[in-house]
């Protein structure tokens, strides 16, 4: 006895559930590998940035390395806590853009979006050039080919991301694990040493420590703090790409965010402790991380493992941008601030157009800089701090509106973070303005203006299309189908058959030029047409100029003017060759006619593909 039920049918035990595409999304671990490479790699240049600024105050200044790093670690904790809340409140992703859009207005949200776009693009260029710079430092013979090496690395990362973000995470999880493991081994071993085991790396290199300097002012500490904050770039990437995670998306993204903050904070504090323990001094031509590896592990195979792991991770840290930017571009396109093509999603949940756009702009930056890291570094990190500040201010508004349990403490935490990141933004922009940061100051408002221009265009288009309004009822009009022909063939017969099925009346048109050869061919076609007698009139269009599309477009406009109330359709017959390369053998007349009709008429254009088998 069967029982009828209104409940949805259950999936039989022997059948697989429908594919929802979740296996093409990220877990917390793979998300950490795919979206944290930028932040992880920043330990290679964050502590060094602090040391180089403090070196201006001599050995006394280097004594403030740990306090400055502690302040940065505290800011990191604030940012991680803030972005955990951003992930929970905005599970569709977008980070500071989504926060600002809801709580600070459209213009502020566009500033946040523009700052993130600039930062993501610059991150790709800086990461690739830094990784190649590490390679050419180990193999100086490759220095002259660094630009082509940069482009090759960019092409590799782009190709991996076009296969899906999960594929990129799987490819990069091993290098990430090796790098993080190596850094923690370096720190653990170094903490058990009372003095450097080796200084071979720095031997023979000039020190950049200032002589006879002992005053450490607030401005110097502020500048060191702002420079060291470069280690925080990439913290927002997970919040921007929440839709890339598996369900429950927000919870997995929050776990990845906390793991990123914990690992990055421990590495920064540990390396800073070693800098003080070994009384390290910055020297020309050798990175601080290389000196620490030498002092802690010795100048042996372990030293080279860390160097190569750093080189690889720096180059691959561009993957953070490929994971975060396409999602941000999708949100901007959904809100009509970018072309809608960026909202399209291919197989494996790949925003292909966003990936390709990022790759092309980054390649242009690499060509502009010649593959030189120092040309790009002054432009880096300003945009992300603008986004940090906007996100924190927006979350203060969020807590004040929600007024949930403990909202005052949360708002105070976000407000303090906004103050710190705001100060860092001003200091970084001011200190690096003449070094190239002025480009960002100009590019940021220009990008916002571009977003608004695209939005106005979509608003005008939507108004003309009547989007959101109920249109008038459809009605039937007299239909005229025009078929361009140049000779008699099976293609001509197929085109007229299709046209007769589409319209009330069919007319064939042919263009005749004044050349004797063309006139003879036209007369031959008219005689063959009369002999064939398909029941469709052949209209001869005379034209003194050697053009094909314009005479047909002029005839369509004449028909529209003399026969009002007639819907004109132009059916363009074309052959579909058996092999792709055979398309090169075609004369492309159909494309020429279609282009002229689109530009000069309102006719409906149909392109009939006659497949050659």
């Amino acid at each position: 006895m069967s029982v009828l039920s209104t409940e949805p049918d259950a999936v039989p035990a022997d059948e697989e559930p429908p594919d929802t595409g979740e296996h093409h999304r990220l877990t917390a671990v793979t998300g950490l590998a795919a979206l944290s490479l930028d932040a992880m790699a920043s330990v290679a240049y964050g502590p060094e940035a602090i040391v180089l600024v403090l070196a201006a105050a001599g050995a006394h200044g280097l004594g403030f390395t740990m306090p400055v790093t502690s302040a940065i670690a505290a800011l990191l904790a604030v940012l991680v806590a803030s972005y955990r809340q951003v992930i929970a409140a905005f599970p569709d992703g977008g980070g500071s853009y989504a926060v600002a859009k809801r709580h600070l207005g459209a213009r502020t949200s566009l500033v946040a979006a523009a700052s993130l776009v600039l930062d993501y693009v610059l991150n790709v260029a800086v990461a690739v050039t830094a990784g190649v710079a590490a390679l050419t430092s180990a193999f100086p013979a490759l220095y002259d080919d660094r630009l082509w090496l940069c482009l090759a690395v960019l092409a590799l990362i782009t190709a991996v991301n076009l296969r899906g973000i999960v594929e990129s995470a799987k490819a990069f999880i091993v290098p990430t694990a090796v790098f993080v493991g190596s850094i923690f081994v370096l720190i653990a071993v170094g903490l058990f040493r009372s003095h450097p085991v080796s200084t071979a790396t720095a031997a023979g290199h000039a020190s950049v420590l200032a002589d006879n300097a002992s005053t450490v002012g607030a401005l110097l500490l502020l500048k060191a703090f702002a420079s060291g904050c470069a280690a925080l770039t990439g913290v927002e990437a997970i919040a921007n790409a929440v839709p890339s995670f598996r369900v429950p998306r927000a919870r997995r993204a929050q776990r990845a965010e906390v793991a990123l903050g914990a690992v990055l904070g421990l590495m920064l504090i540990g390396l800073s402790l070693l800098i003080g323990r070994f009384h390290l001094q910055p020297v020309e031509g050798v990175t601080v991380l290389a000196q620490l590896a030498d002092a802690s592990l010795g100048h042996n195979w372990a030293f080279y493992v860390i160097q190569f792991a750093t080189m690889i991770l720096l180059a691959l840290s561009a993957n953070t941008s490929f994971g975060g930017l396409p999602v941000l571009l999708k949100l901007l396109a959904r809100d009509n601030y970018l072309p809608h093509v960026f909202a399209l999603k291919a197989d494996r949940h790949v925003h292909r157009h966003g990936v390709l756009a990022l790759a092309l702009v980054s390649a242009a930056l690499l060509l502009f800089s010649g593959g030189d890291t120092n040309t790009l570094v002054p432009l880096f990190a300003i945009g992300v701090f603008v986004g940090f500040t906007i996100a924190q201010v927006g979350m203060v508004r969020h807590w004040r509106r929600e007024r949930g349990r403990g909202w005052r403490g949360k708002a105070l935490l976000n407000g303090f973070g906004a103050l710190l990141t705001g100060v860092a933004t001003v200091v970084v922009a001011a200190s690096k303005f003449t070094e190239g940061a002025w480009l960002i100051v100009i590019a940021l408002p220009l990008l916002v203006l571009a977003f608004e221009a695209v939005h106005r265009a979509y608003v005008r288009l939507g108004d003309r299309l009547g989007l959101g309004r109920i249109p008038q009822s459809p009605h039937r009009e007299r239909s005229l189908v025009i078929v361009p022909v140049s000779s008699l063939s099976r293609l001509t017969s197929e085109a007229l058959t299709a046209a007769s099925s589409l319209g009330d009346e069919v007319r064939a048109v042919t263009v005749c030029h004044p050349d004797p050869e063309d006139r003879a061919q036209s007369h031959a076609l008219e005689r063959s047409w009369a002999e064939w007698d398909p029941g469709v009139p052949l209209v001869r269009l005379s034209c003194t100029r050697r053009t094909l599309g314009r005479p047909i477009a002029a005839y369509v406009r004449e028909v529209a003017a003399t026969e009002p109330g007639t819907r004109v359709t132009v059916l363009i017959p074309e052959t579909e060759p058996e092999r792709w390369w055979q398309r090169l053998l075609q004369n492309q007349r159909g494309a020429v006619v279609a282009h002229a009709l689109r530009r000069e008429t309102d006719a409906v254009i149909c392109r009939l593909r006659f497949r050659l088998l």
Side-chain angles (χ1 to χ4, degrees), residues 405-464:
R405 182 178 179 182
W407 72 270
R408 295 181 185 275
K410 296 175 181 178
L412 182 63
L413 181 67
N414 290 134
F416 180 64
L419 177 63
L420 292 180
T421 55
V423 170
T425 303
V426 174
V427 173
V428 172
S431 62
K432 296 182 178 181
F433 188 82
T434 57
E435 301 176 31
W438 59 270
L439 284 172
I440 301 299
V441 176
I442 294 175
L444 193 61
L446 289 179
L447 198 53
V448 171
L449 292 175
F451 290 155
E452 292 180 334
V454 172
H455 190 266
R456 286 194 299 271
Y458 274 124
V459 169
R460 289 194 300 269
L461 182 62
D463 184 64
R464 293 177 182 177

Side-chain angles (χ1 to χ4, degrees), residues 193-199 277-279 294-296:
R193 298 190 185 277
S194 58
H195 61 277
V197 68
S198 171
T199 57
R277 176 180 288 267
F278 295 142
H279 304 289
D294 198 25
S296 180

Side-chain angles (χ1 to χ4, degrees), residues 3-12 15 18:
V3 179
L4 296 177
S5 173
T6 58
E7 295 296 324
D9 293 338
V11 178
E15 293 184 14

